[in-house]
Amino acid sequence: AQSVTQLDSQVPVFEEAPVELRCNYSSSVSVYLFWYVQYPNQGLQLLLKYLSGSTLVKGINGFEAEFNKSQTSFHLRKPSVHISDTAEYFCAVSGVITNAGKSTFGDGTTLTVKP
Amino acid sequence: NAGVTQTPKFRVLKTGQSMTLLCAQDMNHEYMYWYRQDPGMGLRLIHYSVGEGTTAKGEVPDGYNVSRLKKQNFLLGLESAAPSQTSVYFCASSQRTGGLHFGNGTRLTVT
């Protein structure tokens, strides 16, 4: 079985400040990791993904995430946020072989960027 | 490209009525999924398909059925709707790896 825990349900931050959204996962097998963003009344959009190789992955909109296998974490970071980054963010995990293609999602983190 | 298209966008049903949600993708993806999204609960997998003619149960399959007669289409059916099925339903598609491509959702209310 695999699971994802997003440690913060809401993160308020001021514009141009850095932000970190935390994600821990649990799995007995090798995994792929993803972050998605959801704007109001829209579907989810892939921000970035870790499949293999470098543990620091860069995505769209200036976001990056670091895969830490020993701590089973995949935290999302941005050095300077904009008002337009206000959205809900989801961390997800899928298996490489077992549970391949089946993504399990965290409960989401609402990022609110204040002027 | 249209990506993943869901029909309809909104629907209101009475308890006991039936309906079918349609999902179409034009990316030639092998895998397709139906998720439901409820406040504070993230996305939960209802059913999924790893190829044309195949379907499998996800985390919350009860009360739903699916069919994948064509590679590009994935149908989700509710045979007898219940208020607990009030939710936002998302269809997604993918290759075996690389992340999911989502539609814009169907907002279903069961009264």
Side-chain angles (χ1 to χ4, degrees):
Chain A
Q2 57 193 26
S3 65
V4 174
T5 301
Q6 291 184 238
L7 298 169
D8 307 291
S9 60
Q10 298 192 25
V11 174
V13 64
F14 286 105
E15 194 174 16
E16 298 184 5
V19 70
E20 178 180 81
L21 306 184
R22 298 180 294 164
C23 172
N24 288 347
Y25 71 92
S26 173
S27 176
S28 56
V29 297
S30 296
V31 297
Y32 298 137
L33 293 157
F34 309 89
W35 274 99
Y36 294 86
V37 61
Q38 184 180 32
Y39 300 103
N41 299 314
Q42 294 187 24
L44 282 72
Q45 178 185 1
L46 183 66
L47 265 182
L48 49 79
K49 59 191 176 189
Y50 171 78
L51 302 181
S52 65
S54 173
T55 57
L56 182 64
V57 293
K58 295 186 184 297
I60 62 173
N61 301 342
F63 284 93
E64 63 181 33
E66 186 158 18
F67 171 54
N68 187 318
K69 188 174 182 180
S70 62
Q71 296 188 5
T72 61
S73 67
F74 191 55
H75 300 334
L76 180 71
R77 302 185 182 100
K78 187 170 182 178
S80 176
V81 295
H82 303 291
I83 298 288
S84 59
D85 292 322
T86 294
E88 189 152 20
Y89 292 79
F90 292 93
C91 181
V93 62
S94 71
V96 173
I97 298 176
T98 304
N99 292 325
K102 284 177 58 180
S103 289
T104 300
F105 287 81
D107 290 343
T109 297
T110 301
L111 174 64
T112 303
V113 181
K114 300 178 287 186
Chain B
N1 283 341
V4 178
T5 303
Q6 292 184 232
T7 309
K9 291 183 171 56
F10 302 94
R11 186 73 187 267
V12 178
L13 288 179
K14 295 184 177 179
T15 297
Q17 288 184 320
S18 64
M19 77 164 294
T20 300
L21 307 184
L22 172 64
C23 177
Q25 54 98 0
D26 62 3
M27 296 171 283
N28 202 35
H29 285 164
E30 291 294 330
Y31 288 50
M32 295 188 75
Y33 315 82
W34 278 106
Y35 285 89
R36 61 177 289 174
Q37 183 178 31
D38 302 291
M41 299 183 73
L43 279 80
R44 292 181 291 169
L45 183 64
I46 304 171
H47 287 281
Y48 65 102
S49 168
V50 300
E52 180 179 322
T54 72
T55 63
K57 294 180 180 180
E59 182 185 353
V60 288
D62 293 344
Y64 305 95
N65 56 76
V66 289
S67 64
R68 186 137 180 234
L69 300 179
K70 295 183 179 180
K71 185 176 184 179
Q72 64 267 33
N73 295 337
F74 195 31
L75 306 180
L76 177 70
L78 286 72
E79 290 186 347
S80 179
S84 61
Q85 294 177 304
T86 293
S87 188
V88 181
Y89 292 86
F90 286 100
C91 176
S93 70
S94 75
Q95 296 293 16
R96 189 173 176 279
T97 64
L100 305 182
H101 296 254
F102 283 86
N104 283 331
T106 295
R107 189 173 296 274
L108 174 66
T109 302
V110 182
T111 61

